[in-house]
Amino acid sequence: MKKTIAILLITAIFSLLSSPLLVAQNTPTKQEKQTEKVRTKIRKLGSGEQVKVKVKLYNDTSYKGFIRESNENDFVIVDKGGDQHTVKYSDVESIGGKNLSTGAKIAIGIGI
């Protein structure tokens, strides 16, 4: 009887101690949140010469140009000189860009 109670107590203690570790592993870090935020913004902006962006990396490098293509892990930015730079989403500190939506293009066309 004493062995059964001891085994149950030990099992209960280990299960309680392992629960916070599982929760901590599932919460995204600040870096992962920033990476997903950049990935979402790039998807929203799209790609092409009309999509102008300015990207600042964590190593203080900056790129200005347009997004030529993007995939799951990185994107390609082309500057005014035609140089292509492949940038990982996780390396981006901040991104600014503009792209007119279809509605805005139609409104401009009607206004003209």
Side-chain angles (χ1 to χ4, degrees):
M1 181 73 174
K2 288 183 181 180
K3 270 187 171 180
T4 308
I5 293 174
I7 291 173
L8 288 174
L9 284 174
I10 291 172
T11 305
I13 289 172
F14 281 119
S15 65
L16 289 174
L17 290 176
S18 65
S19 295
L21 296 176
L22 294 174
V23 172
Q25 291 173 350
N26 292 337
T27 57
T29 63
K30 185 177 179 183
Q31 179 69 25
E32 290 170 341
K33 288 179 185 178
Q34 175 66 13
T35 300
E36 189 57 37
K37 189 176 175 183
V38 170
R39 185 179 290 123
T40 303
K41 181 145 187 175
I42 294 290
R43 284 184 189 145
K44 183 179 176 186
L45 287 171
S47 62
E49 293 186 25
Q50 69 276 10
V51 182
K52 304 294 183 194
V53 293
K54 182 175 182 183
V55 177
K56 182 177 180 188
L57 306 181
Y58 285 110
N59 63 4
D60 290 331
T61 304
S62 294
Y63 298 116
K64 279 178 85 172
F66 68 89
I67 299 171
R68 188 184 70 148
E69 65 181 75
S70 64
N71 59 41
E72 190 63 32
N73 299 319
D74 53 32
F75 62 98
V76 177
I77 192 167
V78 180
D79 60 17
K80 288 182 181 180
D83 296 330
Q84 298 181 12
H85 308 280
T86 302
V87 180
K88 291 183 180 179
Y89 294 118
S90 58
D91 293 341
V92 177
E93 181 178 352
S94 65
I95 183 167
K98 58 183 176 180
N99 182 11
L100 295 176
S101 66
T102 304
K105 290 177 186 176
I106 292 171
I108 291 170
I110 292 172
I112 291 174

